[in-house]
Amino acid sequence: MAIYNQKLIKALVFCNIVAFLLSIALTGTQFNFFWMGLISPNIDQLIDMKWIVKLESFHPLSLISSLFLHIGIVHLIVNLILIIYLGLINISPGRFLVVYIASGVIGNLCAIFTDERGVLGASGAVMGVLGYEIIYGLKNNIDKSSIKELFNIVLLTIIPGLLLSCVSDGAYIGVD
């Protein structure tokens, strides 16, 4: 199966990796064993820099910068796998990018009102593209097995948020 949005996916993967490395270079490395961390940037410094979406220290640019930052190496890898998978979806690069950014921004806005810790990561954007493709598939009678596969990925992505307090359900589904 060919990656439909190959150039766009490569650019998103590159931006996420560079942002993660830059966040570590600017804030230092923290080592923790919390499940999405292992190797992490200093989150407090990212908040001080206004790179993380947080209600009490809100800065509009954080709505975009937070889409490329991650709480740790595991979080980054999981989101990169999902972004690469999304490249298999047959959606135009322009529409993909609009849905990706709009979903990420809307997910971040929902998260700042439901999670006082702040939010970062591409998860809201990824969930938005998955949701878009499910709705598109249902409206256009796309193969039911493809829709079921996408729905299963959504469930597997949401379950950690329901079980772990460190995951922002606000970015995923708009509630906490």
Coordinates of all heavy atoms in Angstrom, one line a residue, residues 15-115:
C15 N 9.0 17.5 11.2 CA 8.7 18.7 12.1 C 8.6 18.2 13.6 O 9.0 18.8 14.5 CB 7.5 19.4 11.7 SG 7.7 20.4 10.2
N16 N 7.9 17.0 13.8 CA 7.7 16.5 15.1 C 9.1 16.1 15.7 O 9.3 16.3 16.9 CB 6.8 15.3 15.1 CG 5.3 15.7 15.1 OD1 4.8 15.9 16.2 ND2 4.8 15.9 14.0
I17 N 9.9 15.5 14.9 CA 11.3 15.0 15.5 C 12.1 16.3 15.8 O 12.7 16.3 16.9 CB 12.0 14.1 14.5 CG1 11.2 12.8 14.4 CG2 13.4 13.9 14.9 CD1 11.7 11.8 13.3
V18 N 12.1 17.2 14.9 CA 12.9 18.4 15.1 C 12.4 19.2 16.3 O 13.2 19.6 17.2 CB 12.9 19.4 13.8 CG1 13.5 20.7 14.2 CG2 13.8 18.7 12.7
A19 N 11.1 19.3 16.5 CA 10.5 20.0 17.6 C 10.9 19.3 18.9 O 11.2 19.9 19.9 CB 9.0 20.1 17.5
F20 N 10.8 18.0 18.9 CA 11.2 17.2 20.1 C 12.7 17.5 20.5 O 13.0 17.7 21.6 CB 10.9 15.7 19.9 CG 11.2 14.9 21.1 CD1 10.3 15.0 22.2 CD2 12.3 14.1 21.2 CE1 10.5 14.2 23.4 CE2 12.5 13.3 22.4 CZ 11.7 13.4 23.4
L21 N 13.5 17.3 19.5 CA 15.0 17.5 19.7 C 15.2 19.0 20.2 O 16.1 19.2 21.1 CB 15.8 17.2 18.5 CG 15.8 15.7 18.1 CD1 16.5 15.5 16.8 CD2 16.4 14.8 19.2
L22 N 14.6 19.9 19.5 CA 14.7 21.3 19.9 C 14.2 21.6 21.4 O 14.9 22.3 22.1 CB 14.0 22.2 18.9 CG 14.1 23.7 19.2 CD1 15.5 24.2 19.0 CD2 13.2 24.5 18.2
S23 N 13.1 21.0 21.7 CA 12.6 21.1 23.1 C 13.6 20.6 24.1 O 13.8 21.2 25.2 CB 11.2 20.5 23.2 OG 11.3 19.1 23.2
I24 N 14.2 19.5 23.8 CA 15.2 18.9 24.7 C 16.5 19.8 24.7 O 17.0 20.1 25.8 CB 15.6 17.5 24.3 CG1 14.4 16.6 24.7 CG2 16.9 17.0 25.0 CD1 14.6 15.1 24.3
A25 N 16.9 20.3 23.6 CA 18.1 21.2 23.5 C 17.9 22.4 24.3 O 18.8 22.9 24.9 CB 18.4 21.5 22.0
L26 N 16.7 23.0 24.2 CA 16.4 24.3 24.9 C 16.1 24.1 26.4 O 16.3 25.1 27.2 CB 15.3 25.0 24.2 CG 15.6 25.5 22.8 CD1 14.3 26.1 22.2 CD2 16.7 26.5 22.8
T27 N 15.6 23.0 26.8 CA 15.1 22.8 28.2 C 15.9 21.8 29.0 O 15.8 21.7 30.2 CB 13.7 22.5 28.3 OG1 13.5 21.1 27.8 CG2 12.8 23.4 27.5
G28 N 16.7 21.0 28.3 CA 17.4 20.0 29.0 C 16.6 18.7 28.9 O 15.5 18.7 28.6
T29 N 17.3 17.6 29.3 CA 16.6 16.3 29.3 C 16.2 15.9 30.7 O 17.0 16.0 31.6 CB 17.6 15.2 28.7 OG1 18.0 15.7 27.4 CG2 16.9 13.9 28.6
Q30 N 15.0 15.4 30.8 CA 14.6 14.7 32.0 C 14.5 13.2 31.8 O 14.0 12.8 30.7 CB 13.3 15.3 32.5 CG 13.3 16.7 32.9 CD 11.9 17.2 33.4 OE1 10.9 16.7 32.9 NE2 11.9 18.1 34.4
F31 N 14.8 12.4 32.7 CA 14.6 11.0 32.6 C 13.6 10.6 33.6 O 13.7 10.9 34.8 CB 15.9 10.2 32.9 CG 17.0 10.6 31.9 CD1 18.0 11.5 32.1 CD2 17.0 9.9 30.6 CE1 18.9 11.8 31.2 CE2 18.0 10.2 29.7 CZ 18.9 11.2 30.0
N32 N 12.5 10.0 33.1 CA 11.5 9.6 34.0 C 10.9 8.3 33.5 O 11.0 8.0 32.4 CB 10.4 10.7 34.3 CG 9.7 11.0 33.0 OD1 9.2 10.1 32.3 ND2 9.6 12.3 32.7
F33 N 10.3 7.6 34.4 CA 9.7 6.3 34.0 C 8.2 6.3 33.9 O 7.6 5.2 33.9 CB 10.2 5.2 34.9 CG 11.7 5.1 34.8 CD1 12.6 5.6 35.8 CD2 12.3 4.4 33.8 CE1 13.9 5.5 35.7 CE2 13.7 4.3 33.6 CZ 14.5 4.9 34.6
F34 N 7.7 7.5 33.8 CA 6.3 7.6 33.6 C 6.0 7.2 32.1 O 6.8 7.4 31.3 CB 5.8 9.0 34.1 CG 5.0 9.8 33.1 CD1 3.7 9.5 32.9 CD2 5.5 10.9 32.5 CE1 2.9 10.2 32.1 CE2 4.8 11.6 31.7 CZ 3.4 11.3 31.5
W35 N 4.9 6.5 31.9 CA 4.8 5.7 30.7 C 5.0 6.4 29.3 O 5.4 5.8 28.4 CB 3.4 5.0 30.7 CG 2.3 5.8 30.2 CD1 1.6 6.8 30.8 CD2 1.7 5.6 28.9 NE1 0.7 7.3 30.0 CE2 0.6 6.6 28.8 CE3 1.8 4.8 27.8 CZ2 -0.2 6.7 27.7 CZ3 1.0 4.9 26.7 CH2 0.0 5.9 26.7
M36 N 4.8 7.7 29.2 CA 5.0 8.3 27.9 C 6.3 9.1 27.9 O 6.6 9.7 26.9 CB 3.9 9.3 27.6 CG 2.6 8.7 27.1 SD 2.8 7.9 25.5 CE 1.2 7.9 24.9
G37 N 7.0 9.0 29.0 CA 8.3 9.8 29.1 C 9.5 9.1 28.7 O 9.9 9.1 27.5
L38 N 10.1 8.5 29.6 CA 11.5 7.9 29.5 C 12.5 9.0 29.3 O 13.2 9.4 30.2 CB 11.6 6.8 28.4 CG 10.7 5.6 28.6 CD1 11.0 4.6 27.5 CD2 11.0 4.9 30.0
I39 N 12.6 9.6 28.1 CA 13.4 10.8 27.8 C 12.5 11.9 27.5 O 11.7 11.8 26.5 CB 14.4 10.5 26.7 CG1 15.3 9.3 27.0 CG2 15.2 11.7 26.4 CD1 16.1 8.8 25.9
S40 N 12.5 13.0 28.2 CA 11.6 14.1 28.1 C 12.2 15.4 28.1 O 13.3 15.6 28.8 CB 10.5 14.0 29.2 OG 9.9 12.8 29.3
P41 N 11.6 16.4 27.5 CA 12.1 17.8 27.7 C 11.6 18.2 29.1 O 10.7 17.6 29.7 CB 11.4 18.6 26.6 CG 10.2 17.8 26.3 CD 10.5 16.3 26.5
N42 N 12.1 19.3 29.6 CA 11.7 19.9 30.9 C 10.3 20.6 30.6 O 10.2 21.6 30.0 CB 12.7 20.9 31.4 CG 12.3 21.4 32.8 OD1 11.2 21.8 33.0 ND2 13.3 21.3 33.7
I43 N 9.3 19.9 31.1 CA 7.9 20.4 30.9 C 7.7 21.8 31.5 O 7.0 22.7 30.9 CB 6.9 19.4 31.3 CG1 7.1 18.0 30.7 CG2 5.4 19.9 31.1 CD1 7.1 18.0 29.2
D44 N 8.2 22.0 32.7 CA 8.0 23.3 33.4 C 8.6 24.4 32.5 O 8.0 25.5 32.4 CB 8.6 23.3 34.8 CG 7.8 22.3 35.7 OD1 6.6 22.2 35.5 OD2 8.5 21.8 36.6
Q45 N 9.8 24.2 31.9 CA 10.4 25.2 31.1 C 9.6 25.4 29.8 O 9.5 26.5 29.3 CB 11.8 24.8 30.8 CG 12.7 25.0 32.0 CD 14.2 24.8 31.7 OE1 14.6 24.8 30.5 NE2 15.0 24.7 32.7
L46 N 9.0 24.3 29.3 CA 8.2 24.5 28.1 C 6.9 25.3 28.4 O 6.5 26.2 27.6 CB 7.8 23.1 27.5 CG 8.8 22.3 26.8 CD1 8.3 21.0 26.4 CD2 9.4 23.1 25.6
I47 N 6.4 25.2 29.6 CA 5.3 26.0 30.0 C 5.7 27.4 30.2 O 5.0 28.3 29.7 CB 4.7 25.4 31.3 CG1 4.0 24.1 31.1 CG2 3.7 26.4 32.0 CD1 3.6 23.4 32.4
D48 N 6.9 27.7 30.8 CA 7.4 29.0 31.0 C 7.6 29.7 29.6 O 7.4 30.9 29.4 CB 8.7 29.0 31.8 CG 8.5 28.7 33.2 OD1 7.3 28.7 33.7 OD2 9.4 28.3 33.9
M49 N 8.0 28.9 28.6 CA 8.3 29.4 27.3 C 7.0 29.6 26.5 O 7.0 30.1 25.4 CB 9.2 28.4 26.5 CG 10.6 28.4 27.1 SD 11.6 27.0 26.5 CE 11.8 27.3 24.8
K50 N 5.9 29.2 27.1 CA 4.5 29.3 26.5 C 4.4 28.4 25.2 O 3.7 28.7 24.3 CB 4.1 30.7 26.2 CG 4.1 31.5 27.5 CD 3.5 32.9 27.2 CE 3.4 33.8 28.4 NZ 3.7 33.4 29.7
W51 N 5.1 27.3 25.2 CA 5.0 26.3 24.1 C 4.0 25.3 24.3 O 3.6 24.6 23.4 CB 6.4 25.6 23.9 CG 7.4 26.5 23.2 CD1 7.3 27.8 23.0 CD2 8.6 26.0 22.6 NE1 8.5 28.3 22.3 CE2 9.3 27.2 22.1 CE3 9.2 24.8 22.5 CZ2 10.5 27.1 21.4 CZ3 10.4 24.7 21.9 CH2 11.1 25.9 21.4
I52 N 3.5 25.2 25.6 CA 2.4 24.2 25.9 C 1.1 25.0 26.1 O 1.1 26.0 26.7 CB 2.8 23.4 27.2 CG1 4.0 22.6 26.9 CG2 1.6 22.6 27.7 CD1 4.5 21.8 28.1
V53 N 0.0 24.4 25.6 CA -1.3 25.1 25.8 C -1.7 24.9 27.2 O -1.9 23.8 27.7 CB -2.3 24.5 24.8 CG1 -3.6 25.1 25.0 CG2 -1.8 24.6 23.4
K54 N -1.8 26.0 27.9 CA -2.3 26.0 29.3 C -3.1 27.3 29.5 O -2.7 28.4 29.1 CB -1.0 26.0 30.2 CG -1.3 25.6 31.6 CD 0.0 25.3 32.3 CE -0.3 25.2 33.8 NZ -0.1 24.0 34.4
L55 N -4.2 27.2 30.2 CA -5.2 28.3 30.3 C -4.6 29.5 31.0 O -4.7 30.6 30.5 CB -6.5 27.8 31.0 CG -7.6 28.8 31.0 CD1 -8.0 29.2 29.6 CD2 -8.8 28.2 31.7
E56 N -3.9 29.3 32.1 CA -3.5 30.4 32.9 C -2.2 31.1 32.3 O -1.9 32.2 32.6 CB -3.2 30.1 34.4 CG -2.2 29.0 34.6 CD -2.8 27.6 34.7 OE1 -4.0 27.5 34.5 OE2 -2.0 26.7 34.8
S57 N -1.6 30.5 31.3 CA -0.4 31.1 30.7 C -0.6 31.0 29.2 O 0.4 30.7 28.4 CB 0.9 30.4 31.1 OG 0.9 29.1 30.8
F58 N -1.8 31.2 28.7 CA -2.1 31.0 27.3 C -1.4 32.0 26.4 O -1.3 33.1 26.6 CB -3.6 31.1 27.1 CG -4.0 30.9 25.6 CD1 -4.0 29.7 25.1 CD2 -4.4 32.0 24.8 CE1 -4.4 29.5 23.7 CE2 -4.7 31.8 23.5 CZ -4.7 30.5 23.0
H59 N -0.9 31.4 25.3 CA -0.3 32.2 24.2 C -0.8 31.6 22.9 O -0.7 30.4 22.7 CB 1.2 32.2 24.3 CG 1.8 33.1 23.3 ND1 2.0 32.8 22.0 CD2 2.3 34.4 23.5 CE1 2.6 33.9 21.4 NE2 2.8 34.8 22.3
P60 N -1.3 32.4 22.0 CA -1.9 31.8 20.7 C -1.0 30.9 19.9 O -1.4 29.9 19.4 CB -2.3 33.0 19.9 CG -2.5 34.1 20.9 CD -1.5 33.8 22.0
L61 N 0.3 31.2 19.9 CA 1.2 30.3 19.2 C 1.3 28.9 19.8 O 1.7 28.0 19.1 CB 2.6 31.0 19.1 CG 2.8 32.1 18.1 CD1 4.2 32.7 18.2 CD2 2.4 31.7 16.7
S62 N 1.0 28.8 21.1 CA 1.1 27.5 21.7 C 0.0 26.5 21.1 O 0.2 25.3 21.1 CB 0.9 27.6 23.2 OG -0.4 28.0 23.5
L63 N -1.0 27.0 20.5 CA -2.0 26.2 19.8 C -1.4 25.4 18.7 O -1.8 24.3 18.4 CB -3.2 27.0 19.3 CG -4.1 27.6 20.4 CD1 -5.1 28.5 19.7 CD2 -4.8 26.5 21.2
I64 N -0.4 26.0 18.0 CA 0.3 25.3 16.9 C 1.6 24.6 17.4 O 1.8 23.4 17.1 CB 0.7 26.3 15.8 CG1 -0.6 27.0 15.2 CG2 1.5 25.6 14.7 CD1 -1.5 26.1 14.5
S65 N 2.4 25.3 18.2 CA 3.7 24.7 18.6 C 3.4 23.4 19.4 O 4.2 22.4 19.3 CB 4.5 25.6 19.5 OG 3.8 26.0 20.7
S66 N 2.3 23.3 20.2 CA 2.1 22.1 21.0 C 1.7 20.9 20.1 O 1.8 19.8 20.6 CB 1.0 22.4 22.0 OG -0.3 22.6 21.3
L67 N 1.3 21.2 18.9 CA 1.0 20.0 18.0 C 2.3 19.2 17.6 O 2.2 18.1 17.1 CB 0.4 20.5 16.7 CG -1.0 21.2 16.8 CD1 -1.5 21.7 15.4 CD2 -2.0 20.3 17.5
F68 N 3.4 19.8 17.8 CA 4.7 19.2 17.4 C 5.6 18.8 18.6 O 6.6 18.2 18.4 CB 5.5 20.1 16.4 CG 4.7 20.4 15.2 CD1 4.0 21.6 15.1 CD2 4.6 19.5 14.2 CE1 3.2 21.9 14.0 CE2 3.8 19.8 13.0 CZ 3.1 21.0 12.9
L69 N 5.1 19.1 19.8 CA 5.9 18.8 21.0 C 5.3 17.6 21.6 O 4.1 17.3 21.5 CB 5.8 20.0 22.0 CG 6.5 21.3 21.5 CD1 6.1 22.4 22.4 CD2 8.0 21.1 21.4
H70 N 6.1 16.9 22.4 CA 5.7 15.6 23.0 C 6.3 15.5 24.4 O 7.4 16.0 24.7 CB 6.1 14.4 22.2 CG 5.3 14.4 20.9 ND1 5.7 15.1 19.8 CD2 4.1 13.7 20.6 CE1 4.8 14.9 18.8 NE2 3.8 14.1 19.3
I71 N 5.6 14.8 25.3 CA 6.0 14.7 26.7 C 7.2 13.8 26.9 O 7.8 13.8 27.9 CB 4.8 14.3 27.6 CG1 5.1 14.5 29.0 CG2 4.4 12.8 27.3 CD1 4.1 15.3 29.7
G72 N 7.4 13.0 25.9 CA 8.6 12.1 25.9 C 8.8 11.3 24.7 O 8.0 11.4 23.7
I73 N 9.8 10.5 24.6 CA 10.2 9.8 23.4 C 9.1 8.8 23.1 O 8.8 8.6 21.9 CB 11.6 9.1 23.6 CG1 12.1 8.6 22.3 CG2 11.6 8.1 24.6 CD1 12.6 9.7 21.3
V74 N 8.5 8.1 24.1 CA 7.4 7.1 23.8 C 6.2 7.8 23.1 O 5.7 7.3 22.2 CB 7.1 6.4 25.1 CG1 5.9 5.4 24.8 CG2 8.2 5.6 25.6
H75 N 5.8 9.0 23.7 CA 4.7 9.7 23.2 C 5.0 10.1 21.7 O 4.2 10.0 20.8 CB 4.5 11.0 24.0 CG 3.3 11.8 23.7 ND1 3.3 13.1 24.0 CD2 2.1 11.5 23.2 CE1 2.1 13.6 23.6 NE2 1.4 12.6 23.2
L76 N 6.2 10.6 21.5 CA 6.6 11.0 20.1 C 6.5 9.8 19.1 O 5.9 9.9 18.1 CB 8.1 11.5 20.1 CG 8.7 11.8 18.7 CD1 8.0 13.0 18.0 CD2 10.2 12.1 18.9
I77 N 7.1 8.6 19.5 CA 7.1 7.5 18.7 C 5.7 7.0 18.4 O 5.3 6.7 17.2 CB 7.9 6.3 19.3 CG1 9.4 6.8 19.2 CG2 7.7 5.0 18.5 CD1 10.3 5.9 20.0
V78 N 4.8 6.9 19.4 CA 3.4 6.5 19.2 C 2.7 7.4 18.2 O 2.1 7.0 17.2 CB 2.6 6.5 20.5 CG1 1.1 6.3 20.3 CG2 3.2 5.3 21.4
N79 N 2.9 8.8 18.4 CA 2.2 9.7 17.4 C 2.8 9.6 16.0 O 2.1 9.8 15.1 CB 2.3 11.1 18.0 CG 1.1 11.4 18.9 OD1 0.1 10.8 18.8 ND2 1.3 12.3 19.8
L80 N 4.1 9.4 15.9 CA 4.8 9.3 14.6 C 4.2 8.0 13.9 O 4.0 8.1 12.7 CB 6.3 9.2 14.7 CG 7.0 10.5 15.1 CD1 8.5 10.3 15.2 CD2 6.6 11.7 14.2
I81 N 4.0 7.0 14.6 CA 3.5 5.7 14.0 C 2.1 6.0 13.5 O 1.7 5.7 12.3 CB 3.5 4.6 15.0 CG1 4.9 4.1 15.2 CG2 2.6 3.4 14.5 CD1 5.1 3.1 16.4
L82 N 1.3 6.7 14.3 CA -0.1 7.1 13.8 C -0.1 8.0 12.6 O -0.9 7.9 11.7 CB -0.9 7.7 15.0 CG -1.3 6.7 16.1 CD1 -1.8 7.4 17.3 CD2 -2.3 5.7 15.5
I83 N 0.8 9.0 12.7 CA 0.9 10.0 11.5 C 1.3 9.2 10.2 O 0.7 9.5 9.2 CB 1.9 11.1 11.8 CG1 1.3 12.0 12.9 CG2 2.3 11.9 10.6 CD1 2.3 13.0 13.5
I84 N 2.3 8.3 10.3 CA 2.7 7.5 9.2 C 1.5 6.7 8.7 O 1.2 6.6 7.5 CB 3.9 6.7 9.5 CG1 5.1 7.6 9.6 CG2 4.2 5.7 8.3 CD1 6.3 6.9 10.2
Y85 N 0.7 6.1 9.6 CA -0.4 5.3 9.2 C -1.4 6.2 8.5 O -2.1 5.8 7.5 CB -1.1 4.6 10.5 CG -2.4 3.9 10.1 CD1 -2.3 2.7 9.6 CD2 -3.6 4.6 10.3 CE1 -3.5 2.0 9.2 CE2 -4.8 3.9 10.0 CZ -4.7 2.7 9.4 OH -5.9 2.1 9.1
L86 N -1.6 7.4 9.0 CA -2.6 8.3 8.4 C -2.2 8.6 6.9 O -3.1 9.0 6.1 CB -2.7 9.6 9.2 CG -3.4 9.4 10.6 CD1 -3.4 10.8 11.3 CD2 -4.8 8.9 10.4
G87 N -0.9 8.5 6.6 CA -0.5 8.7 5.3 C -1.1 7.7 4.3 O -1.1 7.9 3.1
L88 N -1.6 6.6 4.8 CA -2.2 5.6 3.9 C -3.6 6.0 3.5 O -4.2 5.4 2.6 CB -2.2 4.2 4.6 CG -0.9 3.7 5.1 CD1 -1.0 2.4 5.9 CD2 0.0 3.4 3.8
I89 N -4.2 6.9 4.2 CA -5.6 7.3 3.9 C -5.6 8.1 2.7 O -4.8 9.0 2.4 CB -6.1 8.1 5.1 CG1 -6.2 7.2 6.4 CG2 -7.5 8.7 4.8 CD1 -6.6 7.9 7.6
N90 N -6.6 7.8 1.8 CA -6.7 8.5 0.5 C -7.4 9.8 0.7 O -8.6 9.9 0.4 CB -7.4 7.5 -0.4 CG -7.3 8.0 -1.9 OD1 -6.6 8.9 -2.2 ND2 -8.1 7.4 -2.7
I91 N -6.7 10.8 1.1 CA -7.3 12.2 1.3 C -6.2 13.1 0.7 O -5.0 12.9 0.8 CB -7.5 12.4 2.8 CG1 -8.0 13.8 3.0 CG2 -6.3 12.2 3.6 CD1 -8.4 14.1 4.5
S92 N -6.7 14.2 0.0 CA -5.8 15.1 -0.6 C -4.8 15.7 0.4 O -5.3 16.0 1.6 CB -6.5 16.2 -1.4 OG -7.1 17.1 -0.5
P93 N -3.6 16.0 0.1 CA -2.7 16.7 1.0 C -3.2 18.0 1.6 O -3.0 18.2 2.8 CB -1.4 16.9 0.2 CG -1.5 15.9 -0.9 CD -2.9 15.7 -1.2
G94 N -3.8 18.8 0.8 CA -4.4 20.0 1.3 C -5.5 19.8 2.4 O -5.5 20.4 3.5
R95 N -6.4 18.9 2.1 CA -7.5 18.6 3.0 C -6.9 18.0 4.3 O -7.3 18.3 5.4 CB -8.5 17.7 2.4 CG -9.7 17.4 3.3 CD -10.8 16.9 2.6 NE -11.4 17.9 1.8 CZ -12.4 17.7 1.0 NH1 -13.0 16.6 0.9 NH2 -12.8 18.7 0.2
F96 N -5.9 17.1 4.1 CA -5.3 16.4 5.2 C -4.7 17.4 6.2 O -4.9 17.4 7.4 CB -4.2 15.4 4.7 CG -3.5 14.6 5.8 CD1 -3.8 13.3 6.0 CD2 -2.6 15.2 6.6 CE1 -3.2 12.5 6.9 CE2 -1.9 14.5 7.6 CZ -2.3 13.1 7.8
L97 N -4.0 18.4 5.6 CA -3.3 19.4 6.4 C -4.3 20.3 7.2 O -4.1 20.6 8.3 CB -2.3 20.2 5.6 CG -1.4 21.1 6.3 CD1 -0.5 20.3 7.3 CD2 -0.5 21.9 5.4
V98 N -5.4 20.7 6.5 CA -6.4 21.5 7.1 C -7.1 20.8 8.2 O -7.2 21.3 9.3 CB -7.4 22.0 6.0 CG1 -8.7 22.6 6.7 CG2 -6.8 23.0 5.1
V99 N -7.5 19.5 8.0 CA -8.1 18.7 9.0 C -7.2 18.5 10.2 O -7.5 18.6 11.4 CB -8.6 17.4 8.5 CG1 -9.1 16.4 9.6 CG2 -9.8 17.6 7.5
Y100 N -5.9 18.2 9.9 CA -4.9 17.9 10.9 C -4.7 19.1 11.8 O -4.8 19.0 13.0 CB -3.6 17.5 10.2 CG -2.4 17.1 11.1 CD1 -2.3 15.8 11.5 CD2 -1.5 18.1 11.5 CE1 -1.2 15.4 12.3 CE2 -0.5 17.7 12.4 CZ -0.3 16.4 12.8 OH 0.7 16.0 13.6
I101 N -4.4 20.3 11.2 CA -4.2 21.5 12.0 C -5.4 21.9 12.8 O -5.4 22.2 14.0 CB -3.6 22.6 11.2 CG1 -2.2 22.2 10.8 CG2 -3.6 23.9 11.9 CD1 -1.5 23.1 9.8
A102 N -6.6 21.9 12.1 CA -7.8 22.4 12.7 C -8.2 21.4 13.9 O -8.6 21.9 14.9 CB -9.0 22.4 11.7
S103 N -8.0 20.2 13.7 CA -8.3 19.2 14.7 C -7.4 19.4 15.9 O -7.8 19.3 17.1 CB -8.2 17.8 14.2 OG -9.2 17.5 13.2
G104 N -6.1 19.6 15.6 CA -5.2 19.8 16.7 C -5.5 21.0 17.5 O -5.4 21.0 18.7
V105 N -5.8 22.1 16.8 CA -6.1 23.4 17.5 C -7.4 23.2 18.3 O -7.4 23.6 19.5 CB -6.2 24.6 16.5 CG1 -6.8 25.8 17.1 CG2 -4.8 24.8 15.9
I106 N -8.4 22.6 17.7 CA -9.7 22.5 18.4 C -9.5 21.5 19.6 O -10.0 21.8 20.7 CB -10.8 21.9 17.5 CG1 -11.2 23.0 16.5 CG2 -12.0 21.4 18.3 CD1 -12.0 22.6 15.3
G107 N -8.7 20.4 19.4 CA -8.4 19.5 20.5 C -7.7 20.3 21.6 O -7.9 20.1 22.8
N108 N -6.7 21.1 21.3 CA -6.0 21.9 22.3 C -6.9 22.8 23.1 O -6.8 23.0 24.3 CB -4.8 22.7 21.7 CG -3.7 21.8 21.3 OD1 -3.5 20.7 21.9 ND2 -2.8 22.2 20.4
L109 N -7.8 23.5 22.3 CA -8.7 24.4 23.0 C -9.7 23.7 24.0 O -9.9 24.1 25.1 CB -9.6 25.2 21.9 CG -8.8 26.2 21.2 CD1 -9.7 26.8 20.0 CD2 -8.4 27.4 22.1
C110 N -10.1 22.5 23.5 CA -10.9 21.7 24.4 C -10.1 21.2 25.7 O -10.6 21.3 26.8 CB -11.5 20.4 23.7 SG -12.7 20.8 22.5
A111 N -8.9 20.9 25.4 CA -8.0 20.4 26.5 C -7.7 21.5 27.6 O -7.7 21.2 28.7 CB -6.7 19.8 26.0
I112 N -7.5 22.7 27.1 CA -7.2 23.7 28.1 C -8.3 24.0 29.1 O -8.1 24.5 30.2 CB -6.6 25.0 27.5 CG1 -7.7 25.7 26.7 CG2 -5.4 24.8 26.8 CD1 -7.3 27.1 26.2
F113 N -9.6 23.7 28.7 CA -10.7 23.9 29.6 C -11.0 22.7 30.4 O -11.8 22.7 31.3 CB -11.9 24.4 28.8 CG -11.7 25.7 28.2 CD1 -11.6 25.9 26.8 CD2 -11.7 26.9 29.0 CE1 -11.4 27.1 26.2 CE2 -11.5 28.1 28.4 CZ -11.3 28.3 27.1
T114 N -10.4 21.5 30.0 CA -10.7 20.3 30.8 C -9.5 19.8 31.5 O -9.6 18.8 32.3 CB -11.2 19.2 29.8 OG1 -10.2 18.9 28.8 CG2 -12.5 19.6 29.1
D115 N -8.3 20.3 31.3 CA -7.1 19.8 31.9 C -6.2 20.9 32.4 O -5.6 21.6 31.5 CB -6.4 18.9 30.9 CG -5.3 18.1 31.5 OD1 -4.8 18.4 32.6 OD2 -4.9 17.1 30.9

